[in-house]
Amino acid sequence: MRAKRRTAALAAIDPDWNPGTPGWTVDWHRHYACLAQLLAEGARLTAIAPGVTRHGDDDGRRLAAGGRGAAAGGWPPNGGAGTG
């Protein structure tokens, strides 16, 4: 439900914003932002395992899904460049 509300709000701000095109949903972007914050604070990707949460979301689990690609909610979107 939250993702649908945020999608509508973002579409109202920027009509060209379309997370469906590359498969990166609002939910995916929320996890992306949380992982980016963890990395900016000095965390290493290898230390962000399932069970590492931020704002109630299991970002470690999302990171572990990375091998399935962005369309499946994986991380990182660019194959890991600049994330280590």
Side-chain angles (χ1 to χ4, degrees):
M1 190 57 94
R2 176 182 170 198
K4 288 182 182 180
R5 286 193 311 267
R6 292 184 61 121
T7 297
L10 287 168
I13 294 168
D14 183 356
D16 293 326
W17 184 82
N18 183 1
T21 299
W24 298 343
T25 63
V26 171
D27 183 56
W28 184 93
H29 281 281
R30 187 175 66 251
H31 285 283
Y32 176 98
C34 288
L35 286 167
Q37 289 173 352
L38 286 168
L39 294 172
E41 293 167 1
R44 306 271 312 153
L45 285 177
T46 55
I48 305 173
V52 173
T53 62
R54 178 161 235 160
H55 307 295
D57 292 319
D58 190 339
D59 293 308
R61 181 183 55 82
R62 179 59 59 107
L63 179 60
R68 294 193 309 240
W75 171 276
N78 60 0
T83 58

